[in-house]
């Protein structure tokens, strides 16, 4: 019912910037529209637990993981059905596969309450970010 496709990953040196994009497709008969979705970025390093990076909820709330505050900015363009993550001052520790996630309704309400351990029902395939020192 919701298809997510990430792009924008790549290799940068420490201190550099990247902007990730997540294009969303929703099926009209599903009752899902992009504007009603809550969305988030996660990241994962092989062998480690998946980590929430930032989320954006329909009430405008945008929580961030503590280590990303002030460096990363999440935004959502409803006209383009695209979620973004602007990443500045990148560090080697930011190297990971970055995933876009989405859901709606009560799942979003619960996700906001359990931040930074939310669960979402729809996931993209991921885009790799590599930061070299």
């Amino acid at each position: 019912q919701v298809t997510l496709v990430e792009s924008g990953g790549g290799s940068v040196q420490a201190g550099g910037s990247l902007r990730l994009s997540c294009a969303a497709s929703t099926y009209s008969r599903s009752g899902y529209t992009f504007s009603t979705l809550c969305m988030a970025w996660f990241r994962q390093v092989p062998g480690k637990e998946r980590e929430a990076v930032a989320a954006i909820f329909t009430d405008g709330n945008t929580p961030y993981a503590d280590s990303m505050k002030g460096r990363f900015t999440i935004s959502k363009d409803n006209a383009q059905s695209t979620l973004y993550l602007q990443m500045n001052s990148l560090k080697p520790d930011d190297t990971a596969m970055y995933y876009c996630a989405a859901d709606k309704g009560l799942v979003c309400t619960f996700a906001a309450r359990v931040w930074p351990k939310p669960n979402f029902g729809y996931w993209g395939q991921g885009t790799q970010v590599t930061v070299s020192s």
Side-chain angles (χ1 to χ4, degrees), residues 26-111:
T26 59
Y27 297 94
S28 60
R29 292 187 178 181
S30 70
Y32 290 72
T33 60
F34 184 79
S35 64
T36 64
L37 298 176
C38 61
M39 302 187 75
W41 289 98
F42 290 78
R43 69 185 187 184
Q44 190 167 23
V45 175
K48 293 189 177 181
E49 188 176 339
R50 185 180 64 200
E51 177 184 25
V53 173
I56 186 164
F57 295 96
T58 55
D59 63 358
N61 183 28
T62 54
Y64 292 86
D66 288 343
S67 62
M68 290 77 163
K69 288 179 181 177
R71 299 191 300 124
F72 291 8
T73 303
I74 190 170
S75 61
K76 189 170 174 250
D77 186 333
N78 289 333
Q80 298 296 322
S81 296
T82 302
L83 178 74
Y84 299 101
L85 183 69
Q86 178 67 43
M87 305 187 295
N88 299 326
S89 302
L90 284 163
K91 306 174 182 179
D93 285 349
D94 295 318
T95 296
M97 184 71 79
Y98 284 71
Y99 297 91
C100 171
D103 220 303
K104 66 166 289 187
L106 291 177
V107 174
C108 298
T109 301
F110 186 71

